[in-house]
Amino acid sequence: MKITGARVIITCPGRNFVTLKIETDQGTYGIGDATLNGRELAVAAYLEHHVIPNLIGRDAHRIEDIWQFLYRGAYWRRGPVTMTAIAAVDTALWDLKAKAAGLPLYQLLGGASREGVMVYGHANGADIDSAVAEVGRYVEMGYKAIRVQAAIPGVKGSYGVGRGKDGYEPAESALPYETVWSTPAYLDFAPKLFDAVREAHGPDIELLHDVHHRLTPIEAARLGRALEPHRLFWMEDCTPAENQEAFRLVRQHTTTPLAVGEIFNSIHDCRTLIQEQLIDYIRATVVHAGGITHLRQIAALAALYQVRTGSHGATDLSPVCMGAALHFDLWVPNFGIQEYMRHTEATDAVFPHAYTFKDGYMHPGETPGHGVDIDEDLAARHPYDPKQLPVARLADGTMWNW
Ligand code: EZ4
Ligand code: CO
C-alpha cells in the first residue's frame, strides 16, 4: 500500500479546520486532523513543505517507522506545530490501515474495553442562574457529566462563556480579543457557582470545572480545598504546567481530582506529573500529542500510576480527531472520560461521521477506519478565515495566562 499523494485541506464551516488526506496506490485514502487553533497555517506549511515530500512512495502500513522518521528524523523535536503535523499523518495512516483490514480502528488497537465512552458536555452561563439552567439542559440531553463555567461578575471576557453568540468559540477575531483576569473575584465566585449547581441538581451528576491556567500553585490549592464539598470529577489546568513540579504543592493540599494536558504534545510534558502521581487525569489528545501512536505511550505510562485519560475535545478539534479519539477511548484500558463539545451542523456536514451519542455515552461506530470523512466540495465552499485566541491581562495591564 504505497503512498501516492497527500494534500492539506483547509476549511472554515464556522471555524477553521486543517485536514491531511493521504492517498495510496490501492485507490484508498485516510484522513487526519491537523488543526492548531489560531496557528492553522503554521501546521499546514510544515506539512506541505517538510512532511508531505517525505511521505510519497513510502509503505502506508509502516506507521511506526514513519512516526519515528518524522519525530527523530527531523532533529528539531517536539512542539505543538511539529507534533500536530505528525499526529495528522499518524491518524491518516491508522485510518488507512483499518480500512485495509476492513475493521473499525478500535479493533486494531485491541478491541473494545467498554460498551460506550462516557463524555462530558459544556454548560456555560452569563451568570449563576443561567449556568444552573444550562446544566439542566445537559441533564435532559442525557449527559452524566457536565463542565460548568460562568461569567465572573465585573470581569471582562471570563473564560468559557460566549459573548452573545450561539455556542462558545473563543477564537473570535483576526487579532486577539483582550480579556481581563481577576484572581480574587474568581476565587470568591467559583464556590458560589458550585453551591448553586449542587443545590439545584443534586449529588449524582458528575461536575467538572476548567481553571484554564489562571492561578498560582497556592491559589490553586486554596480553590481545590474550597471545592472539596462539591465533589468535582476534576479541576482542570489549575496552574500552568510548564513546571510540572508546581503540582506538588497543589497536591499536598487538596483531594479535589486534578486534570491537565490539553496543550501537551509529548510524553515528556507529563512524565513528572504522572510518575509522581500529581494528577488524576491526563488530557493529551490525538491531534496535539503526536497521534494514536504517541498517545498510547502516554496512556500506558499513566496506567502504571493509576492516572486515567480525559482527552480534550473542544470544537477546535475537528470531527476527524473526535472520531479517532473515540476509537482510542473505547479501547484504552485506563479510560476516564472524553470531552465532547458539540460541533455545529455546518461542521458536521463537512465531516460526515459514524460516531453517535446516546444517554451520555458515545460510540465510534463500526465503519472500517476511524469512521470520519471529509466532503471536499462542501469544504471548498468555506474558505479560511484567520482567527486567533484571546489574551488575558490583569487589571493593571500585566499580561497573564489566557
Ligand atoms: O480553550 O480548545 O477544555 N477545554 C478548553 C478549550 C480551549 C480551546 C483552545 O483552543 O480549555 O476550550
Ligand atoms: Co481546558
Side-chain angles (χ1 to χ4, degrees), residues 12-238:
C12 185
R15 70 161 344 286
N16 294 309
F17 294 110
V18 182
T19 308
L20 177 70
K21 184 168 189 171
I22 299 181
E23 289 161 337
T24 74
D25 62 358
Q26 308 293 301
T28 54
Y29 64 87
I31 60 173
D33 183 17
T35 309
L36 186 62
N37 204 5
R39 294 292 184 267
E40 295 84 7
L41 300 187
V43 182
Y46 189 80
L47 282 167
E48 278 167 351
H49 297 296
H50 307 295
V51 173
I52 289 174
N54 288 294
L55 297 178
I56 310 303
R58 280 177 200 274
D59 179 359
H61 274 306
R62 295 185 64 173
I63 298 176
E64 189 67 51
D65 183 62
I66 291 174
W67 197 97
Q68 296 290 335
F69 181 90
L70 294 173
Y71 181 83
R72 279 175 206 273
Y75 188 60
W76 312 106
R77 293 183 188 179
R78 302 164 60 185
V81 174
T82 309
M83 296 304 280
T84 300
I86 294 177
V89 174
D90 188 77
T91 306
L93 294 179
W94 277 105
D95 190 26
L96 272 165
K97 191 186 280 292
K99 282 173 174 168
L103 291 169
L105 176 48
Y106 73 83
Q107 295 290 14
L108 268 57
L109 297 173
S113 299
R114 54 197 56 81
E115 306 311 314
V117 171
M118 184 161 86
V119 296
Y120 69 91
H122 285 202
N124 310 321
D127 54 30
I128 289 181
D129 285 349
S130 51
V132 167
E134 208 39 23
V135 172
R137 207 167 66 80
Y138 274 83
V139 170
E140 271 167 32
M141 282 192 274
Y143 283 84
K144 310 284 182 250
I146 302 163
R147 187 188 94 155
V148 190
Q149 310 289 141
I152 307 157
V155 175
K156 177 192 165 199
S158 301
Y159 165 77
V161 184
R163 294 190 305 117
K165 296 178 289 141
D166 1 293
Y168 171 65
E169 199 56 74
E172 57 180 313
S173 47
L175 293 177
Y177 174 70
E178 299 226 347
T179 66
V180 174
W181 178 251
S182 165
T183 294
Y186 172 68
L187 288 178
D188 178 60
F189 176 73
K192 291 177 187 157
L193 170 64
F194 283 93
D195 281 342
V197 173
R198 276 284 177 228
E199 170 145 35
H201 297 290
D204 293 338
I205 186 83
E206 298 288 4
L207 299 175
L208 302 85
H209 182 64
D210 193 347
V211 182
H212 222 261
H213 325 272
R214 302 296 167 88
L215 301 177
T216 65
I218 198 69
E219 291 161 355
R222 185 177 138 204
L223 180 64
R225 261 199 193 174
L227 294 177
E228 279 170 20
H230 307 95
R231 198 190 52 77
L232 293 193
F233 187 91
W234 78 37
M235 177 168 77
E236 176 178 332
D237 288 335
C238 61

Side-chain angles (χ1 to χ4, degrees), residues 37 147 159 210 212 236 262 283 312 314 316 339 389 402:
N37 204 5
R147 187 188 94 155
Y159 165 77
D210 193 347
H212 222 261
E236 176 178 332
E262 67 183 40
R283 283 179 41 71
H312 189 203
D316 48 291
E339 184 177 21
L389 286 167
W402 178 73

Side-chain angles (χ1 to χ4, degrees), residues 15 17 119-122 137-138 140-143 166-169 313-317 319 322 339-345 347-348 353 355-362:
R15 70 161 344 286
F17 294 110
V119 296
Y120 69 91
H122 285 202
R137 207 167 66 80
Y138 274 83
E140 271 167 32
M141 282 192 274
Y143 283 84
D166 1 293
Y168 171 65
E169 199 56 74
T315 41
D316 48 291
L317 287 65
M322 194 68 206
E339 184 177 21
Y340 176 48
M341 199 178 155
R342 286 159 180 269
H343 289 108
T344 61
E345 275 176 32
T347 294
D348 284 341
H353 51 257
Y355 59 75
T356 50
F357 170 92
K358 191 170 174 263
D359 295 332
Y361 290 84
M362 292 184 76

